[in-house]
């Protein structure tokens, strides 16, 4: 197992450490992924989350907070592998207010299990 495949155990969830490469602008695998990764970097900085000043730790706190945040209506999907549920964490304190939608995957649809964070979507309010 390489360090990029390492699973980080958060407070009530898990997240692959490689996801932080995507969150903080280091993915260059395809032009689309590069753009999305750089968009994440820009948006997270706008929300006051910068990797060089405790951003990873702040993001882990937000991912934990998201477990109890309101579910995004109409964004739950269930298939033979499990359930995907999106929750929205409101943020203040950056250059602009916004939110982060956190997508959690519950294997086999077991909502009592600790979910895996599959993605985030930063939202900047104008």
């Amino acid at each position: 197992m390489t360090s990029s495949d390492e699973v980080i155990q958060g407070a009530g969830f898990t997240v692959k450490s490689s996801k932080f490469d995507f969150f903080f602008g280091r993915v260059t695998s395809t032009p689309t992924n590069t753009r999305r990764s750089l968009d994440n970097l820009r948006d997270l900085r706008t929300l006051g989350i910068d990797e060089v000043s405790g951003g990873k730790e702040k993001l882990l706190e937000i991912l934990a907070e998201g477990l109890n945040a309101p579910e995004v209506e109409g964004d739950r999907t269930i298939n033979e592998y499990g359930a995907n549920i999106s929750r929205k964490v409101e943020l203040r304190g950056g250059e602009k207010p916004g939110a982060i939608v956190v997508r959690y995957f519950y294997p086999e649809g077991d909502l009592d299990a600790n979910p895996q964070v599959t993605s985030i979507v930063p939202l900047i309010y104008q």
Side-chain angles (χ1 to χ4, degrees):
M1 181 185 286
T2 65
S3 62
S4 65
D5 293 327
E6 177 186 347
V7 174
I8 297 169
Q9 181 63 56
F13 65 91
T14 62
V15 60
K16 289 183 181 175
S17 61
S18 60
K19 292 289 183 184
F20 288 91
D21 290 335
F22 204 84
F23 301 157
F24 290 115
R26 293 188 294 271
V27 171
T28 59
S29 56
T30 67
T32 298
N33 283 343
T34 299
R35 180 186 48 76
R36 288 178 55 215
S37 185
L38 291 172
D39 287 350
N40 280 339
L41 174 66
R42 180 196 66 227
D43 292 346
L44 288 175
R45 283 183 176 160
T46 300
L47 292 170
I49 302 166
D50 193 334
E51 188 174 24
V52 297
S53 57
K56 182 177 178 181
E57 294 75 17
K58 175 68 175 164
L59 203 48
L60 287 169
E61 291 172 13
I62 291 167
L63 299 177
E65 185 181 338
L67 292 168
N68 297 309
E71 184 173 342
V72 177
E73 284 190 48
D75 204 27
R76 181 182 288 212
T77 59
I78 299 171
N79 60 32
E80 66 269 26
Y81 303 108
N84 288 287
I85 297 176
S86 299
R87 297 185 177 277
K88 186 178 187 182
V89 180
E90 298 291 336
L91 300 174
R92 300 282 182 261
E95 293 173 35
K96 295 182 179 179
I100 293 180
V101 174
V102 184
R103 294 202 169 115
Y104 300 97
F105 174 70
Y106 293 83
E108 301 176 6
D110 181 0
L111 301 183
D112 291 326
N114 283 353
Q116 178 181 337
V117 172
T118 57
S119 67
I120 62 168
V121 179
L123 304 173
I124 308 297
Y125 301 150
Q126 299 303 327

